[in-house]
Each structure stands twice: as structure tokens, then as C-alpha cells.
Amino acid sequence: MTTTHDEKAGFSKPLSLAERDKAVIWHPFTQMQTAPLPIPIVRGEGTLLFTEEGKTYIDAVSSWWVNIHGHSHPHIAEKVAQQLRTLEHVIFAGFTHPAAVELAERLLPLLPTNQNKVFYSDNGSTAVEVALKMAFQYWHNAGKPRRKVIALEDAYHGDTFGSMAVSGRSPFTAPFLPFLFDVEYIPTPVPGQEQAALDRLNALLDDDVAAFIFEPLVQGAGGMVMYQPDILNELIRLARSQGALIIADEVMTGFGRTGKLFASHHLTEKPDLMSLSKGLTGGTMALGVTTCTGEIYDGFLSDDKFKTLFHGHSFTANPLACTASLASLDILLSDETQASIRRISQRHAVFAEQLQQKPGVKNVRQQGTILAFDLTLDGSNRSYFNNIRDVAYQFLLNEGVLMRPLGNVLYILPPYCITDEQLDTVYTAIGKLLKHLSGSESTL
Ligand SMILES: *Cc1c(COP(=O)(O)O)cnc(C)c1O
């Protein structure tokens, strides 16, 4: 066992899990010098995460938006365990397996009707990479290469180089700026910005634009920025009029998050390519999917080997991940889960009305099961809480609620199995936070 020598006591004391972690692990999106020790979690059940000492946290952000049915779901666990004893993995070039085929067969009918083929990869970033490569190579194969991509400002499409390139430029991408391919941006068409977005898109469009990529209706990591289907329909029609391929990155918005199975179902226009991940496996394991239309697929069919899509990962279509996805779909499509999605959406709407009245709260917005707002501070508190994100994060953890504010944006994005009582706990914790931040006596 790893120990540390305690000089005073004269005996060796075992290191805590968090200390052992610190000795050997580098965490994502974490400044390791200043970050507090991580919180060890030894068990999960439903919406709850348990520490060794039995303290619980309500996972109000679905563990980075992936966990849609709660932790350690017995149905997913059972199916994956069976699959693990049957076939854990098989090479996916030249071979196939039942779970991959069944998942594609069940997934495609749930998507916009023009989606025709499924390409498997490992996560959200790779699902975006594959969509971009399909788009660029589609034009290449057609003998009409196009080099430009248009994206939305503040977009987030992942952390690998291609997906970073089409994400908004920010401190997160700054060190890599010279290595990112050129992308043109249009304003995110939030209310008031619709015409500016249309005008900019119109100015940028020409026959060199390969693709237009966006997170439909909700930009996640950019701060839960929300915009309306009508303007997105207009932007898609405009981009398509110049031949640009339309890529809907539904990595976060997919699988019921926005109140419909996919955010694209709020639209009349259909994307040519879609990227899916996060909720796909119910948050059990990593898997990415890129889907495309028959027309794009056909653009790669040829006697010429060089028109092949040369892309693949060692774990492409891993049977365990495909099985977890199939089990997750069973749960997602059940009446119970669909009712729960409506219940959460309705309860969020009621809480949103209360929030509007609160000092220190701006820009309350909701799309389905996602509720978000901006924390603002009046002058007196500003310096004390100059790091409002960290203050809010810690305060909510102390209340037993895991939320991870994006800067000053606080949001709830819960597993669909969250109970009314747990939702009340989350809402109450937010009320207490607001009171703490404003120092006022107001209560929710
Ligand atoms: C999280 C996210 C990604 C990246 O997915 P990873 O699995 O973290 O690589 C891409 N696009 C969107 C919209 C996301 O929210």
C-alpha cells in the first residue's frame, strides 16, 4: 500500500485516494497547481454519487452531460455484462457484429429522415472530426474541392485539432492558433442577432464553402447559449443555396436533452451530417457516431480506391459500447423516461419564472431539460467574489449538489431519472447560493 511517513506520530499513514491521485494523475481542464484535491467517488446510483465516507452529491450536470439515465443503471449493466462474456471486441474493418448493426438499424429511424448511414468512432470530438473529413473529402472526390468551413462564434465542437479548429477562438485554443485551419465565423443568432448572422453568412458564402457546422439550438460549453429554430432554418437554407453541407453537432443536444429526441427535430430543415456521442451510451462508456445522407455516402463509392474514407479507430464500434447504447435506447424510448423529460422541462419552467424575479440573476433561459442563467453581482460584492465561478461551485458542492458553472453561467442538466425531491434540493441550493452571493435576505 502507498504510505507517507508521519514524522511526529512515527508511523506510516496510508495516503488518501485523492493524494495518490495527485501523485500520478493530470486531470482534464484543470490547473493542477491551484486545483483542490479531487473528490473520490466510489459508487453511483441513480442521480447520486457516493464518496467513501457515504457523503452524496446530486449529479445535476449528468457528469459532463453524458449520464442521461442515472449512474450504474441495472438494465445497461446487465446487457453490457452479457456482451462482455460473449464478445468484448472485434476488428471493424472486414468484420461486423450484431450490436453494431442493430444500433445503426435502431438509431437511423430516430434521426431526421434523410440520414442514411452510420459511421462509428470513439467520442464527440472524433464524431466531429469524421463529419468534417466526410465533408471535405465529399468535395474532393467530386473533383470540386472546397476549403472553407463556417461556424458560429462561441461554438464548442471538441478538443482534437479539427474539432478545435471549428470551435470559437478563445483562451482554450490560443496556444494552438497557428496550427488550426482557417474557419469563418458568424454571430450566434441569439435574439437580436438574427439579422447580423444572416448578413454575415450571406457575405461569406461562395463556392469554396464546404460545410456549415453548428450546435443546434443550444451551444453547450460556450455557456448554454440558446437560439431559436426559425433562424437556424433560415441560416441552413441560405448556406445550402450555395451548396454548403450542413453539419449538426448534436453531441450534447441529442437523446432527449432539448425536449425532443434530437434538437434537429425542432427544425424543418434537415442536416446532411450529424455528430452524436455523450448520451449515446447512456453515459456508460465512450462512443461516437457520425451519420450522413445517402448522397454523401454515394460520393465515396468508386472503383478508385483513393475515394475511400480513410478513417478508423482501434475501438471502432466496440461491441460493449454499442450494447450500452442499445440498452440506453430501450430506457430512453420508454414511456416512463419520456414522461420524465416532460416533467423536468415543466418544473424547470416554473423555477425559471421564480428565478427571473431574483436579484443577481440575468438572462434566464431554458430548452427542454436544460435550464441556464447568468450570475451577476452588484458593485459591493464584486471584488470579494471576483471568482464567482469557483465560489458558486464550492458552495453548491457543500450543499450536496454537483454543478459546474461555465464562467458566470450556472446551469442544470440532470439525468432524466432525477426525482422531484432531488430537483427541489437543486433549486433550493441555487436559492441559497443567490442569497449567499447577494448577502440579502431574499429566499426562493
Ligand atoms: C462535448 C462536446 C463535444 C466533444 O465531445 P467529447 O466526447 O468530449 O470529445 C463536441 N461537440 C459538442 C457540442 C459537445 O458538447
Side-chain angles (χ1 to χ4, degrees), residues 231-246:
I231 180 62
L232 185 54
N233 280 324
E234 272 192 75
L235 291 167
I236 293 173
R237 275 195 293 272
L238 181 58
R240 192 166 263 152
S241 70
Q242 294 289 319
L245 297 175
I246 309 300

Side-chain angles (χ1 to χ4, degrees), residues 65 123-126 128 156-159 215 221 249 251-252 277-278:
W65 322 340
N123 55 60
S125 301
T126 58
V128 169
Y156 177 77
H157 295 292
D159 287 342
E215 298 153 87
D249 177 354
V251 169
M252 190 277 280
S277 186
K278 295 212 164 98

Side-chain angles (χ1 to χ4, degrees), residues 280-303:
L280 173 60
T281 64
T284 307
M285 52 221 304
L287 183 67
V289 152
T290 307
T291 64
C292 69
T293 60
E295 189 188 337
I296 292 175
Y297 177 76
D298 289 348
F300 290 73
L301 299 180
S302 171
D303 293 330

Side-chain angles (χ1 to χ4, degrees), residues 349-428:
V350 172
F351 183 60
E353 295 230 336
Q354 292 174 265
L355 271 178
Q356 315 264 18
Q357 325 295 327
K358 296 290 149 196
V361 170
K362 276 228 176 74
N363 200 7
V364 182
R365 51 203 185 270
Q366 185 200 352
Q367 180 68 60
T369 65
I370 310 170
L371 178 67
F373 60 94
D374 303 348
L375 289 167
T376 58
L377 290 172
D378 25 297
S380 57
N381 286 328
R382 209 177 280 272
S383 58
Y384 174 47
F385 290 121
N386 62 352
N387 209 339
I388 191 167
R389 182 228 166 261
D390 295 344
V391 171
Y393 177 68
Q394 275 307 328
F395 184 93
L396 292 163
L397 279 181
N398 292 342
E399 294 291 319
V401 175
L402 165 55
M403 293 174 73
R404 230 185 113 85
L406 296 155
N408 69 329
V409 176
L410 199 59
Y411 67 92
I412 315 173
L413 194 151
Y416 306 144
C417 65
I418 191 168
T419 63
D420 276 329
E421 200 184 5
Q422 288 166 336
L423 266 179
D424 283 335
T425 304
V426 175
Y427 296 153
T428 304

